[in-house]
Amino acid sequence: MRASQAGVKQGMPIAEAASLLDRPPTLQPTDKEGDLLALQELVERFERFSPKISVENDLVAESLFLEIGGVVRIFGSEERLAQEVSNVAKELGYRAWIAVADCVGAAWAASRYLAQENEPALIRSGEREPLLALPIEALRLAEKTALAFRKLGVETIRQAAAIPRDAIKARFGEEILTRLDQLLARRPEPTQAVAPASEFFAKWSSEYPIRQGQELAAAIAALLDRLAGELRERDRGLVELLCTFVEEGGASFERGLRLCEPVASPRDLARLLALELERSPVRGAIGEIRLEAIETAKFLPRQRDLFASGSHRDPTKLGELLDRLGSRLGRENVVRPVLVDDPVPERSFLLVPVSARKPRRRKPPALPSPRQRPIRLLVEPKSIRVIATVPDGSPHVFSLSSKRHEILAAEGPERIEAAWWRGQTIRRDYWRVETTTGARFWVFRRLQDGAWFLHGYFA
Amino acid sequence: MPRKRSPSAAESLPALREALLSRSERGAFAAATVSCGAELDRAWPQGGLRRGSLVEWLGETEGCGWGTFAFAAACQATAEGGALAIVDREGTFFPPAAAALGIDLTEIVVVRPASDREALWAFDQALRCPAVSVVWGRVESLPGRAYRRLQLSAEEGGTIGFLLRSTRTLSQPSWCDFAVGVRALPTGGDLRYRLEIMRSRDGITGRSADFEIDDDGRIRTSDSHDENALHLVSAVDDSASPRRSERTGDEKSA
C-alpha cells in the first residue's frame, strides 16, 4: 500500500522503484506457487457463489474463475451476485477486481481493464464493443508478444482482430488466435475446477459440551475412525487435516495437521493430533468438532520388508518421524536446508519446512572448501575488539567477552558485498583466524566503519 | 520388546559391564557396525561405530573443532544410507559448511527446538527412527535417566547418536559407547585435529591419533602424527560406567 502511494507500479525497474521510496525497500521474489496456494485457499470462501471454481494457472496466478451459469437467479441478477462476491472479498481483506462475462477470456480482460476496485464490470452476453476497445495486453499475452504487437503499431484488440488470421498465425503463432477466440467467446476454454475441499468430512456435535480430556480424545478418535474409513475405501491417505472446534458460546477455532506423507491409520492420526493439541491446547467446553480433509493423496499400504535392513531405509518411517517432530515443535522448526546463490552468509541458505513439497533440486552454488565456512554461524554477529598489525590488515589479537585470543594465523580477506538494492548494504572483509590454541573463528570487518565482528565458529 | 533393565545395587562392576554387553548384542542391529572411513575406524575402540549406540564428542572451547569433525564423521557414516538428523538447539547450524563437508543436503533434516527439553525429546525421537542413520547435536545437560533413555532409543532404532558435549561433562555418568575428545591443532591453515578416546565401554582410554579434513571434507590420517609416541593406554577409567543406582524411566509408548 505504502509503496503504491509513493508511485511504485508493477513492472517498474527495481532501481526506479527504490528511488521513489525514502528507505531501501525489502524485496522478495515473485512466488507464483505461493500465489496459487493462496488462491486455492480462497476458493473455499466463494463456494457458495458457484458450483465450479477454478484457479488461474497461466502466465500469472491472480484470478479465480467462478462459473455462474445456473446460479444467477438465486442472487437475483448478475450485478447483485458480483456485488456480493466483491463484498466477501473485501471482508476477507482482499482488494478485488471483479467482472462478469460470458467466457473466461472476456471476464479476465474486463476484470483487469474495466472493473474498478469493488465496482464490478459487466459484459452482457454477446456484447463485443467494450472488449474490442481494450489494449492488446488484455488478450493474456506473454510480455514479449504484446511488445511485438505494439512495435507494429497494433495497440488495441480491435486492431489485432482486423489483421487477417493467416497473417497473425504466420507472424505470431497459433496462441494469439486462440486468445482472440477465447476473448470473443468463439472457442470454449476448459477450466479445471478445484475439487471441493470437504470431500472427506466428519462431524461430531452434542448438546452436552465436553471439556478437554478423555472425552474430547474419544470424540476425536471416533471421528478419525470414520474419516479414515472413508479414505481407505478410496485408497486415499490424509495429507492435510483441518480440525474445527466449536465452543459452547459459538466461538470456533481451528487446529491443522499437515503430514509429510499420506497417512490413513486413525491411530497415527490421533497420536499426531494429540501432539498438536498438547502444543496449543483447546480450552473451554466444546459442543462441536468438525474434521475435514483439506488434502488427500493416493495411499497404497506398503509391503513391509522381511529383513531388518530393509526397514533401515523405509521412507514411511522418516515421514512418521517428521510428522511427530513437526506436530510438537512446529512445522517451521523441522526443516531441510537449501542453498541459495547469495554471497552474504546469512542469506546463502533457506530452511524449508520438510512437510512442504520437496524443494526442486536446483543447481547448487559452487561449494566452498570445508576450511572456508564454519559449521556454526551466529544469527547476530558479535561485536569484538581487534588489534590489527596495520589499520586495514589482518587481525592480530581479538577479545571477546573479556577473553583474549592470540591469533596464530589469519587467512583473508575474503570480501563479501551485497548491493544496496538487496535491502541493507553489506560490505565486509572476512578473515578465518586460528588462535594459538588451535581454535578457529570466522570474523569480519565492516568496511563502512571498520568495526569487527565474530560471525561463526569452526566449532 | 521385553527388556530387563534394573541392575541391582549388589551387582559388581564387571558383571554389570558384561550384562550390558551381552544384552545389547541381542538387539537387531547390535552386530552391525557403520564405517566412518577406514582411516578413522581404526581409531575407534570397536573398529567402527556400533549401530544402536551413542558417541560423545568432547570439546574444550568453541572453535576447537569438535562439531566440525563430528559432522565430517557423521557424513561418512551416513554414506551407507539413512538420513542425518541435526538437532540445532542454538539455531546456528550453517548449511553451506555442511555441504562443504560432503553431505547431500537433501539427506539432512534440521530440527530447531525452542528449549532444552524439546531438544532432548527431538533427539530421542530421531534416534528411535530406523530411517535415520546418525543424529548430531549439542547436548550439554543430560541427566542419567534421560541419557539412558537416549541409549535405549538408539538401540531400538538401530541408529547412532553423536552428542556434542563439553569436556567438563566427563565426570558425569554416561551411557555412551565411547567418548572422544577433539582438539584442533594449530597449523596455520589446515584442518588438523587430535582425537583422544577419553571414555570407553571396554574401559580402554587414552588412545590418541591425529586426523585431517581435506578439501572434499574427507577425513584422513594426518602424516604429522607419530603413532607410537602418542599411542597411550591408560588404566581402566571407572567413570565410564553408569551409576549403579541408576534406574531407567519407563519408555513412553507415545
Side-chain angles (χ1 to χ4, degrees):
Chain A
M1 273 300 259
R2 295 224 358 243
S4 66
Q5 276 159 14
V8 175
K9 295 217 163 52
Q10 224 172 35
M12 192 179 257
I14 291 172
E16 195 183 336
S19 70
L20 292 169
L21 303 169
D22 44 349
R23 68 196 161 93
T26 327
L27 300 173
Q28 292 206 322
T30 331
D31 178 11
K32 192 182 164 195
E33 301 240 306
D35 290 347
L36 265 177
L37 283 178
L39 278 174
Q40 260 151 15
E41 275 170 29
L42 263 185
V43 164
E44 199 185 329
R45 310 288 188 159
F46 293 101
E47 262 168 0
R48 68 188 175 97
F49 297 110
S50 162
K52 185 182 174 194
I53 303 180
S54 52
V55 172
E56 177 181 27
N57 185 7
D58 214 313
L59 295 171
V60 288
E62 293 177 341
S63 315
L64 285 181
F65 299 119
L66 281 67
E67 212 174 285
I68 52 169
V71 296
V72 173
R73 58 189 174 80
I74 303 173
F75 292 88
S77 68
E78 286 172 353
E79 285 92 339
R80 297 256 296 271
L81 171 58
Q83 197 55 56
E84 271 198 54
V85 170
S86 165
N87 293 345
V88 169
K90 202 172 165 187
E91 266 167 43
L92 291 170
Y94 281 88
R95 305 173 66 198
W97 287 263
I98 294 161
V100 179
D102 58 0
C103 64
V104 169
W108 191 93
S111 69
R112 272 173 185 67
Y113 294 93
L114 296 172
Q116 302 286 318
E117 194 179 340
N118 298 320
E119 275 178 44
L122 245 77
I123 307 283
R124 303 270 167 222
S125 192
E127 205 176 355
R128 291 292 163 256
E129 192 47 39
L131 294 172
L132 290 171
L134 295 179
I136 191 83
E137 284 82 4
L139 277 177
R140 282 183 286 171
L141 302 178
E143 213 174 311
K144 219 172 62 197
T145 321
L147 210 67
F149 265 117
R150 287 199 172 264
K151 278 196 185 140
L152 292 176
V154 178
E155 293 188 346
T156 62
I157 292 177
R158 191 192 312 281
Q159 286 169 318
I163 306 174
R165 291 177 73 89
D166 286 348
I168 293 190
K169 193 171 167 184
R171 177 75 176 75
F172 299 102
E174 183 73 34
E175 186 211 348
I176 314 301
L177 293 178
T178 312
R179 290 302 196 197
L180 258 175
D181 291 347
Q182 284 173 346
L183 180 83
L184 302 173
R186 291 198 290 233
R187 186 189 296 220
E189 181 171 350
T191 55
Q192 183 69 49
V194 176
S198 44
E199 200 181 346
F200 298 97
F201 180 83
K203 187 173 121 178
W204 169 93
S205 65
S206 161
E207 280 175 41
Y208 305 98
I210 49 174
R211 296 196 168 265
Q212 196 186 353
Q214 292 201 326
E215 285 179 327
L216 192 66
I220 291 176
L223 284 179
L224 282 172
D225 258 343
R226 231 193 298 159
L227 200 66
E230 281 176 41
L231 285 164
R232 248 198 316 261
E233 263 173 37
R234 301 221 235 139
D235 286 335
R236 296 193 81 75
L238 198 71
V239 178
E240 188 165 356
L241 176 75
L242 181 73
C243 269
T244 313
F245 296 91
V246 183
E247 279 182 24
E248 208 175 358
S252 73
F253 45 90
E254 294 174 345
R255 295 282 182 277
L257 199 62
R258 178 143 186 109
L259 308 162
C260 300
E261 312 217 350
V263 173
S265 138
R267 252 189 58 225
D268 289 349
L269 288 170
R271 224 163 47 196
L272 292 170
L273 202 55
L275 280 171
E276 180 70 35
L277 289 172
E278 195 179 301
R279 201 159 70 95
S280 44
V282 168
R283 290 178 217 293
I286 306 298
E288 185 179 313
I289 306 171
R290 292 197 295 263
L291 294 189
E292 214 176 293
I294 302 290
E295 194 183 330
T296 61
K298 192 102 183 126
F299 177 80
L300 295 171
R302 258 168 250 263
Q303 206 157 13
R304 301 277 163 187
D305 209 308
L306 282 174
F307 303 99
S309 62
S311 72
H312 202 69
R313 308 260 164 84
D314 187 348
T316 56
K317 292 275 185 228
L318 191 62
E320 279 168 34
L321 170 70
L322 299 178
D323 289 339
R324 253 198 319 277
L325 292 172
S327 307
R328 165 120 177 229
L329 308 176
R331 279 198 283 140
E332 66 286 0
N333 291 321
V334 184
V335 293
R336 252 185 243 282
V338 179
L339 298 188
V340 180
D341 210 353
D342 191 318
V344 180
E346 58 268 39
R347 297 200 301 232
S348 63
F349 63 95
L350 293 173
L351 296 174
V352 187
V354 281
S355 43
R357 275 154 297 171
K358 210 167 180 173
R360 259 168 293 152
R361 234 176 229 269
R362 319 176 191 204
K363 192 177 139 284
L367 285 180
S369 127
R371 38 201 275 194
Q372 289 175 313
R373 292 292 178 267
I375 194 89
R376 283 190 65 195
L377 186 81
L378 297 174
V379 185
E380 287 282 323
K382 270 188 204 162
S383 176
I384 50 172
R385 291 215 349 263
V386 165
I387 301 170
T389 34
V390 284
D392 287 346
S394 63
H396 191 59
V397 174
F398 79 88
S399 42
L400 169 67
S401 43
S402 76
K403 198 173 175 237
R404 206 175 133 93
H405 298 267
E406 302 270 352
I407 293 167
L408 173 78
E411 275 185 89
E414 180 186 347
R415 180 154 299 181
I416 291 181
E417 290 179 299
W420 59 268
W421 64 80
R422 294 295 319 268
Q424 202 188 346
T425 306
I426 283 169
R427 295 184 65 220
R428 301 168 182 165
D429 268 354
Y430 276 87
W431 294 83
R432 301 189 295 279
V433 302
E434 189 183 324
T435 67
T436 44
T437 61
R440 289 178 175 87
F441 303 89
W442 209 33
V443 301
F444 70 83
R445 196 167 71 91
R446 189 159 65 191
L447 294 177
Q448 289 97 322
D449 58 3
W452 285 87
F453 294 90
L454 169 69
H455 205 181
Y457 297 102
F458 290 82
Chain B
M1 206 193 292
R3 240 195 231 111
K4 215 173 168 176
R5 51 183 129 85
S6 40
S8 92
E11 274 176 300
S12 64
L13 187 64
L16 197 67
R17 194 167 272 155
E18 198 172 308
L20 200 73
L21 281 166
S22 67
R23 201 224 34 245
S24 52
E25 242 115 48
R26 265 185 247 127
F29 298 96
T33 55
V34 176
S35 169
C36 290
E39 298 186 26
L40 186 54
D41 284 346
R42 254 176 269 141
W44 302 148
Q46 284 117 2
L49 299 174
R50 207 166 51 83
R51 274 195 211 283
S53 72
L54 302 174
V55 177
E56 277 186 17
W57 298 82
L58 304 173
E60 289 278 357
T61 54
E62 280 301 348
C64 70
W66 50 335
T68 309
F69 195 87
F71 197 88
C75 293
Q76 311 246 14
T78 38
E80 292 176 24
L84 172 55
I86 291 150
V87 179
D88 182 19
R89 168 73 182 96
E90 290 122 326
T92 53
F93 177 68
F94 190 41
L101 286 168
I103 193 87
D104 173 3
L105 290 182
T106 60
E107 293 298 324
I108 289 192
V109 174
V110 183
V111 185
R112 296 156 64 93
S115 67
D116 288 349
R117 226 181 113 209
E118 279 189 0
L120 211 52
W121 176 82
F123 213 109
D124 183 77
Q125 293 292 320
L127 281 174
R128 249 171 229 241
C129 174
V132 166
S133 70
V134 179
V135 187
W136 177 94
R138 188 136 168 201
V139 184
E140 283 301 346
S141 139
L142 189 54
R145 206 181 178 131
Y147 204 151
R148 174 67 169 139
R149 184 173 302 161
L150 287 188
Q151 196 259 323
L152 288 171
S153 298
E155 227 170 77
E156 188 183 314
T159 53
I160 299 168
F162 278 8
L163 310 170
L164 305 181
R165 309 192 77 193
S166 151
T167 313
R168 285 191 301 277
T169 62
L170 198 57
S171 58
Q172 296 170 11
S174 165
W175 289 92
C176 67
D177 250 27
F178 58 92
V180 52
V182 181
R183 190 156 59 86
L185 300 172
T187 58
D190 292 342
L191 299 176
R192 190 173 303 148
Y193 306 91
R194 177 151 305 161
L195 265 59
E196 186 186 355
I197 303 297
M198 302 182 86
R199 190 209 291 271
S200 159
R201 219 162 52 117
D202 52 21
I204 298 168
T205 59
R207 278 201 302 186
S208 84
D210 289 1
F211 292 93
E212 276 176 5
I213 296 179
D214 70 12
D215 274 356
D216 298 321
R218 270 190 298 270
I219 296 170
R220 307 206 170 286
T221 313
S222 176
D223 302 332
S224 70
H225 186 243
D226 181 356
E227 218 168 309
N228 295 324
L230 284 153
H231 207 98
L232 307 164
V233 177
S234 77
V236 173
D237 178 1
D238 267 1
S239 67
S241 53
R243 275 199 313 250
R244 278 177 228 170
S245 57
E246 203 65 45
R247 283 183 142 235
T248 56
D250 281 341
E251 275 176 83
K252 257 189 165 167
S253 54

